[in-house]
Amino acid sequence: MPFGKKDDETKEAAAMSRTLRDKALSVTAAELSLAPTEARLNVWGVLMELGYPQAVATLAVFADGTSSLHISTGGGVIGAGEHTSVRDVAEKFLFAAQGLVAHFEPAGETPFPEPGRVRFYIRTFDGTLTAEAAEQELGTNHHKLGPLFHAGHAVITQMRLISERRDEA
């Protein structure tokens, strides 16, 4: 492999992940043909970002069935919402967000979380909201957003299981 080719591919993969994240934070409900429903009046999308020392993992779920996971350094899973098992838990993730909207504030900016932190972005028909907490507090249910964190991890788990089954085939 020529010198620098792997570095270029890594940079391209990271740039693609950033582009997908930016799109998830800028796409509108109208572009996805989404409207409020009786069950979910406000929320049409949720992003959960997990801060790690070397990268950030961004889970993005939308009411149109789109579910993806992007790693800031490149890579991830796109199109997982095509699978019923992912769609089912993704819907629960959206409903969990709907029930917690009151704990969020308007997102003026959309930075990545620091390592050990989890940042949520809720896409609503009135704008983008955000909240952040320590991963440890969320994981042990010592934070009001713990249920949303666990619902997001259920989506990631289903994505991982699908990837494992595909790899075994």
Side-chain angles (χ1 to χ4, degrees):
M1 176 181 299
F3 179 73
K5 185 169 183 184
K6 185 170 180 143
D7 288 341
D8 289 344
E9 290 173 359
T10 300
K11 287 178 185 175
E12 287 177 24
M16 178 56 74
S17 288
R18 181 65 182 212
T19 298
L20 292 170
R21 177 189 187 263
D22 290 346
K23 181 68 174 171
L25 287 165
S26 64
V27 68
T28 66
E31 289 173 321
L32 298 178
S33 300
L34 297 173
T37 65
E38 189 175 320
R40 210 173 36 251
L41 294 172
N42 301 317
V43 176
W44 57 268
V46 183
L47 282 76
M48 179 174 79
E49 296 195 310
L50 307 151
Y52 297 107
Q54 302 299 321
V56 172
T58 301
L59 172 66
V61 171
F62 296 99
D64 70 346
T66 302
S67 295
S68 59
L69 179 67
H70 311 286
I71 310 302
S72 62
T73 54
V77 178
I78 297 174
E82 296 174 8
H83 300 272
T84 303
S85 61
V86 173
R87 271 196 316 273
D88 290 346
V89 291
E91 194 64 26
K92 291 176 183 174
F93 186 43
L94 291 165
F95 278 109
Q98 177 68 44
L100 294 166
V101 166
H103 300 293
F104 284 72
E105 60 187 37
E109 297 180 3
T110 56
F112 282 129
E114 294 295 321
R117 306 284 296 172
V118 178
R119 182 180 296 271
F120 297 96
Y121 293 102
I122 295 181
R123 306 299 313 278
T124 74
F125 294 100
D126 294 324
T128 300
L129 306 174
T130 189
E132 183 177 327
E135 185 171 10
Q136 185 173 357
E137 288 180 17
L138 293 164
T140 58
N141 282 323
H142 287 104
H143 194 281
K144 60 190 168 235
L145 299 179
L148 186 59
F149 175 78
H150 289 288
H153 271 283
V155 177
I156 293 170
T157 297
Q158 287 304 312
M159 289 177 169
R160 189 188 86 243
L161 292 172
I162 288 166
S163 293
E164 289 173 359
R165 284 192 296 264
R166 185 178 60 232
D167 291 345
E168 291 172 359

